[in-house]
Amino acid sequence: MAYVDNELFLMQDANVGATMTSSVVEMGSKGGFNHPLYFDVKLTKAMTSGTMSTIKVQSSDKQDFSTNVATEVEITVPGSIVQTAGPATLAQFYAPIKLENKFIRLVITGTSPV
């Protein structure tokens, strides 16, 4: 298995917000792998209130995401995950990446997160 974000380049200890957009990672000359990428999205600290509600994996053929933006996967975080109790796993999933797109990012949205 390839460790694309082993150093947590996408998002590391970022403060929660209503909309969070990660750093952009270049996947290579023509994007995508033969196998879908594995994502493990976690809260590293308990939230005071609110929730993180959706996680999107997006890809594009441009680093600034100005063209050909594709939402590869959109996950709704289950309501059963207690986000105010401490660190929590929000989602674990595989996502394919459109072969023409070589840049990826995460977009995470929340409802009144603190």
Side-chain angles (χ1 to χ4, degrees):
M1 174 175 280
Y3 290 102
V4 173
D5 192 27
N6 197 39
E7 298 295 324
L8 303 176
F9 293 119
L10 282 170
M11 206 174 282
Q12 180 177 7
D13 286 332
N15 291 326
V16 296
T19 301
M20 302 171 63
T21 302
S22 74
S23 300
V24 174
V25 172
E26 182 177 352
M27 301 301 296
S29 62
K30 273 292 189 182
F33 291 107
N34 290 331
H35 300 285
L37 298 177
Y38 177 71
F39 289 85
D40 185 5
V41 183
K42 299 180 181 297
L43 285 176
T44 57
K45 299 175 187 161
M47 294 190 354
T48 304
S49 63
T51 59
M52 299 312 292
S53 50
T54 62
I55 301 163
K56 291 181 188 178
V57 176
Q58 293 183 328
S59 70
S60 177
D61 62 346
K62 301 279 188 230
Q63 188 170 5
D64 64 0
F65 278 71
S66 59
T67 61
N68 295 325
V69 176
T71 296
E72 305 292 355
V73 168
E74 184 171 349
I75 301 289
T76 300
V77 178
S80 60
I81 297 173
V82 181
Q83 299 180 30
T84 56
T89 299
L90 300 180
Q92 295 175 322
F93 57 93
Y94 286 95
I97 304 299
K98 183 178 173 184
L99 290 177
E100 294 81 18
N101 289 348
K102 67 178 189 173
F103 298 97
I104 63 166
R105 69 180 180 187
L106 292 178
V107 177
I108 303 173
T109 56
T111 304
S112 304
V114 178

